[in-house]
């Protein structure tokens, strides 16, 4: 009996080994390595340039940069969370709607949000709602809505019809099917959309500075307008590193939350 | 074999049940009525699109009937909450539909969990069912569906449907997608299970041989789920109602009938009549097997053995033919070819 149990545990560990291994691939270390190299290189570059002038000193100091990084992250993350709160339920409802007109209408709006240039959306919103952080977040939400909405719909409608039929046949209610079958099986696709939305938001949040909502766009604009390449490059590299880091974190979450057996 | 106490079947009555999707098109199921006795294994056979699956799916209201009455164990199913109704009806479909993100044990536990069984009771039941469908509990319970072969997945499908010990089972071509060898094995195993369970089963298939093998009674259906003939396998084989049923039986009605009769039911020759050939047949084999052995023995009678392998007599071509006798007299020669 003990022997049997041991063989079984061995068998199971053999089976789970590949998925455990997958968690420590080179790919997983590549992104953090790239971020460290880029930021390290930036610091060395700035130190090698010697004493900054007055304008450079305004932007290139820790408190100022950290404040912009914080603003930028808050803008991008809060917009993406809002997107998730709006687009996942909307996607669930739409995937259960057989009315093609309704689906077309909502997807059309989301498509327009993404197709319109982000600068256009944010300026338009500022004209209507006034400048500031809430307006910037609202514009980002419009812009990043589509990937999450579409992936939620795709994630649910791609589930094998026989799986849903057997769930019904066993006596699950509509809500139980959604919670226990549809959402768990759609999680990988929904998270992929969420990841895209997050990276979009980090990128697009750079233009929040146009409506006085802060973020790293401000650093880039200062560098650009006052002809200070060092400031410009610093802003660009830091915002890229944030995007990479967000993508990496979302990738970790994706791998961790993907249901086993799928 | 594991001994389980199980709930045996209840009666089902369908009264003038119809389903139409579109008022201009002919009804998918047109005025279907049937009485199913408790513990009966009913086969619905017919060509694709004849409405047999629709008829079956109306019993657990996966498809809502347009009109008519369906009564299970005296209760009108249309008056019940559909989800609660379905928890007490086993449901197996051809595509199986196991939940890919749940382990085998979790898949089987679905209905017990819906019914609010305790953890211990559910765990015991999972173990019992895995043994029942011959999937060794320890190693299979924690695996995921994709790690199993098609035949193993279908066994899990059957175990999952049996989980809460429902009195009624609905099965839609459950063995249709498996290879012939696996299918035969699953059929025999399921038949053996049914012998101890006595569930009321409604089983849809387009394979008439499967219907002959499994069913207590077979309903041959034509378009609109019209019952052309509803009878025991032996009666349908010996008295097909019309050309349509004959065409379903296909070639070799006599051979198919032989498969339904045990050697024990035939009149045997004295043991001395058996030739000295190495071929023999057991009393619990069917006459089709006996015929096979007789042919192998060069057409001469072969020895018949009982369960203890003692020779109790002999059987030849005439005895086999006689046993079929009265049953096939009604078959015209061209039908019996």
């Amino acid at each position: 009996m003990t022997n049997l149990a041991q063989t079984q545990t061995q068998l199971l560990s053999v089976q789970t080994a590949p998925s455990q291994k997958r968690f420590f691939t080179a790919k997983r270390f590549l992104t953090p390595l790239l971020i460290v190299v880029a930021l390290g290189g930036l610091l060395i570059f700035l130190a090698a340039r010697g004493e900054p002038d007055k304008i450079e000193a305004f932007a290139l100091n820790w408190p100022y940069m950290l404040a912009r990084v914080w603003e930028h992250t808050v803008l991008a993350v809060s917009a993406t969370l809002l997107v998730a709160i709006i687009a996942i339920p909307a996607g669930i409802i739409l995937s259960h709607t057989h009315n093609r007109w309704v689906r077309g209408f909502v997807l059309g709006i989301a498509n327009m949000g993404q197709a319109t240039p982000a600068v256009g959306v944010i300026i338009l919103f500022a004209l209507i709602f006034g400048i500031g952080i809430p307006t910037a977040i609202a514009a980002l939400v419009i812009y990043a809505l589509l990937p999450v909405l579409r992936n939620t719909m795709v994630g649910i409608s791609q589930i094998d019809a026989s799986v849903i039929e057997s769930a019904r046949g066993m006596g699950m209610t509509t809500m139980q099917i959604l919670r226990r079958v549809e959402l768990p099986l759609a999680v990988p696709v929904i998270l992929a959309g969420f990841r895209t939305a997050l990276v979009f938001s980090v990128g697009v949040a750079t233009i929040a500075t146009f409506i006085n909502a802060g973020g790293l766009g401000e650093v880039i604009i200062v560098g650009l307008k006052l002809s200070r390449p060092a400031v410009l490059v610093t802003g660009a590299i830091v915002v890229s590193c944030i995007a990479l880091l967000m993508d990496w974190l979302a990738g970790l979450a994706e791998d961790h939350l993907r249901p086993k057996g799928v | 074999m594991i001994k389980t106490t199980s709930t045996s079947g209840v009666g089902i009555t369908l009264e003038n049940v119809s389903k139409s999707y579109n008022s201009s098109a002919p009804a998918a199921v047109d005025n279907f009525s049937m009485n199913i006795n408790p513990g009966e294994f009913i086969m619905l056979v017919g060509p694709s699109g004849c409405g047999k699956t629709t008829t079956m799916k109306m019993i657990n209201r996966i498809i809502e009937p347009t009109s008519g009455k369906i009564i299970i164990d005296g209760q009108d199913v249309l008056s019940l909450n559909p989800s609660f109704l379905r928890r007490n009806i086993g449901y197996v479909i051809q595509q199986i539909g196991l939940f890919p993100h749940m382990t085998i044990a979790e898949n089987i536990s679905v209905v017990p969990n819906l019914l609010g069984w305790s953890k211990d009771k559910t765990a015991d039941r999972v173990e019992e069912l895995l043994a029942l469908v011959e999937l060794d509990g320890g190693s299979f319970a924690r695996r995921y569906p994709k790690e199993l072969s098609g035949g193993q997945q279908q066994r899990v499908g059957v175990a999952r449907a049996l989980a809460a010990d429902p009195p009624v089972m609905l099965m839609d071509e459950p063995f249709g997608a498996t290879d012939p060898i696996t299918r035969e094995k699953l059929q025999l195993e399921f038949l053996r299970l049914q012998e101890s369970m006595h569930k009321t089963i409604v089983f849809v298939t387009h394979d008439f041989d499967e219907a002959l093998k499994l069913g207590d009674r077979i309903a041959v259906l034509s378009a609109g789920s019209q019952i052309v003939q509803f009878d025991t396998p032996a009666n349908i084989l010996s008295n097909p109602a019309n050309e349509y049923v004959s065409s379903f039986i296909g070639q070799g009605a006599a051979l198919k009938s032989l498969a339904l009769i045990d050697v024990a039911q035939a009149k045997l020759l004295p043991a001395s009549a058996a030739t000295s050939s190495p071929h023999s047949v057991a009393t619990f084999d069917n006459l089709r097997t006996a015929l096979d052995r007789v042919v192998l023995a060069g057409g001469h009678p072969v020895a018949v053995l009982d369960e203890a392998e003692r020779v109790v007599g002999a059987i030849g071509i005439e005895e086999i033919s006689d046993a079929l006798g009265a049953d096939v007299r009604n078959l015209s020669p061209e039908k019996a070819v």
Side-chain angles (χ1 to χ4, degrees):
Chain A
M1 189 60 213
T2 337
N3 248 333
L4 194 70
Q6 272 172 358
T7 336
Q8 279 161 9
T9 354
Q10 275 166 8
L11 269 174
L12 280 169
S13 60
V14 168
Q15 278 163 7
T16 49
S19 60
Q20 277 177 353
K21 242 187 210 158
R22 234 183 40 217
F23 233 86
F24 301 101
T25 52
K27 177 189 120 205
R28 207 168 286 291
F29 291 107
L30 200 64
T31 307
L33 190 71
L34 197 67
I35 293 172
V36 168
V37 168
L39 291 179
L42 180 68
L43 285 174
I44 292 168
F45 163 73
L46 292 176
R49 288 181 73 256
E51 203 57 25
D53 66 23
K54 240 183 177 171
I55 293 170
E56 285 173 353
F58 163 75
L60 298 181
N61 64 74
W62 285 105
Y64 177 81
M65 281 305 293
L66 287 177
R68 298 295 86 74
V69 166
W70 173 247
E71 279 169 6
H72 202 99
T73 310
V74 166
L75 275 174
V77 171
S78 52
T80 313
L81 288 179
L82 269 175
V83 162
I85 292 170
I86 297 166
I88 293 175
I92 291 168
I93 294 168
L94 282 183
S95 65
H96 287 95
T97 306
H98 297 295
N99 190 330
R100 282 170 59 197
W101 192 85
V102 174
R103 287 173 81 132
F105 181 74
V106 177
L107 272 183
I109 287 188
N111 253 319
M112 265 165 53
Q114 197 174 42
T116 318
V119 177
V121 175
I122 209 164
I123 301 292
L124 203 68
F125 270 47
L127 287 174
I128 302 169
F129 305 114
I131 57 171
I133 292 172
T135 305
I137 290 178
L140 285 179
V141 167
I142 293 290
Y143 190 72
L145 206 58
L146 185 67
V148 181
L149 183 69
R150 200 180 40 204
N151 278 34
T152 305
M153 289 173 63
V154 170
I156 288 179
S157 46
Q158 51 127 37
I159 297 170
D160 198 340
S162 66
V163 170
I164 305 298
E165 190 189 329
S166 70
R168 282 184 70 207
M170 282 189 285
M172 285 196 196
T173 62
T174 310
M175 282 311 285
Q176 285 167 335
I177 294 174
L178 180 67
R179 226 181 43 239
R180 300 187 193 184
V181 182
E182 289 177 314
L183 282 181
L185 287 175
V187 152
V189 187
I190 296 175
L191 279 178
F194 185 78
R195 189 174 170 181
T196 310
L198 191 59
V199 175
F200 268 12
S201 300
V202 173
V204 174
T206 44
I207 60 170
T209 182
F210 288 130
I211 59 164
N212 202 24
L216 284 158
E218 194 178 306
V219 181
I220 294 172
I221 295 293
V222 165
L224 210 57
K225 282 193 174 160
L226 304 177
S227 304
R228 291 296 183 282
V231 178
L232 174 66
V233 166
T234 303
I237 288 181
V238 172
V239 83
S240 305
C241 285
I242 294 177
L244 283 173
L245 182 71
M246 293 290 180
D247 185 59
W248 182 75
L249 287 173
L252 278 186
E254 245 178 70
D255 286 351
H256 189 68
L257 293 173
R258 173 178 297 133
K260 284 177 213 146
V262 177
Chain B
M1 202 180 85
I2 305 273
K3 272 239 163 159
T4 48
T5 48
S6 70
T7 315
S8 50
V10 295
I12 304 174
T13 304
L14 293 98
E15 261 177 54
N16 307 319
V17 177
S18 293
K19 175 70 192 180
S20 48
Y21 290 97
N22 187 330
S23 51
S24 60
V29 176
D30 192 8
N31 232 1
F32 184 95
S33 295
M34 181 179 271
N35 248 313
I36 300 169
N37 301 320
E40 213 175 5
F41 199 150
I42 297 294
M43 309 293 293
L44 303 182
V45 194
S48 308
C50 73
K52 55 188 189 299
T53 300
T54 309
T55 305
M56 186 204 82
K57 288 184 179 177
M58 285 193 286
I59 297 175
N60 66 349
R61 293 176 66 188
I62 287 286
I63 295 175
E64 290 287 342
T66 313
S67 62
K69 239 179 165 182
I70 299 171
I71 294 154
I72 299 180
D73 199 20
Q75 267 189 310
D76 183 354
V77 303
L78 295 173
S79 69
L80 301 170
N81 174 315
S83 295
F84 292 142
L85 166 75
R86 293 180 195 132
R87 289 171 198 173
N88 290 307
I89 297 177
Y91 189 56
V92 188
I93 56 178
Q94 184 181 347
Q95 306 85 346
I96 315 174
L98 294 182
F99 301 129
H101 60 301
M102 296 183 190
T103 62
I104 300 310
E106 287 166 346
N107 263 286
I108 298 175
S109 309
V110 167
V111 181
N113 286 341
L114 289 173
L115 292 171
W117 287 18
S118 73
K119 254 189 172 163
D120 289 346
K121 188 179 171 192
T122 306
D124 289 348
R125 182 64 180 160
V126 168
E127 209 168 299
E128 182 182 57
L129 283 163
L130 283 172
L132 202 66
V133 297
E134 293 177 3
L135 291 174
D136 154 47
S139 71
F140 280 98
R142 278 171 292 177
R143 288 199 211 168
Y144 287 92
K146 71 168 181 194
E147 298 169 320
L148 269 58
S149 72
Q152 288 169 337
Q153 288 188 22
Q154 197 48 283
R155 284 163 201 232
V156 176
V158 171
R160 186 174 68 167
L162 286 170
D165 196 22
V168 175
M169 296 274 283
L170 303 179
M171 309 180 83
D172 185 9
E173 304 203 27
F175 311 133
T178 47
D179 63 87
I181 295 169
T182 309
R183 185 184 317 157
E184 171 115 22
K185 196 156 185 280
L186 289 173
Q187 286 168 344
L188 291 175
E189 280 177 19
F190 188 70
L191 210 52
R192 178 181 56 78
L193 278 182
Q194 168 63 359
E195 271 168 24
S196 61
M197 299 185 306
H198 306 294
K199 303 285 182 198
T200 306
I201 301 171
V202 179
F203 191 116
V204 166
T205 182
H206 62 259
D207 178 354
F208 192 74
D209 291 319
E210 181 170 64
L212 286 177
K213 206 176 291 172
L214 300 179
D216 293 329
R217 279 198 291 170
I218 301 172
V220 182
L221 306 178
S222 65
S225 205
Q226 296 300 297
I227 300 177
V228 182
Q229 190 167 11
F230 184 32
D231 213 330
T232 61
N235 285 346
I236 289 183
L237 282 173
S238 57
N239 283 312
N242 56 25
E243 276 301 313
Y244 181 78
V245 178
S246 306
S247 73
F248 243 95
I249 296 170
Q251 301 284 303
L255 279 177
K256 287 173 185 174
S257 298
L258 286 178
L260 300 173
I261 307 171
D262 281 350
V263 170
Q265 287 169 262
K267 233 180 176 176
L268 300 181
L269 295 167
S272 57
T275 47
S276 55
S277 86
H279 300 285
S280 65
V281 68
T283 47
F284 50 83
D285 281 331
N286 64 46
L287 287 179
R288 192 174 178 159
T289 311
L291 182 64
D292 185 62
R293 302 288 150 77
V294 170
V295 171
L296 286 173
H300 303 298
V302 295
V304 176
L305 310 179
D306 66 5
E307 273 154 26
E309 308 228 331
R310 285 184 306 249
V311 178
V312 291
I315 192 162
I317 200 107
E318 277 165 37
E319 289 70 39
I320 294 170
S321 188
D322 281 349
L324 204 53
D327 284 329
V328 285
R329 207 152 291 160
N330 292 319
L331 287 172
S332 58
E334 61 268 28
K335 280 182 194 164
V337 167

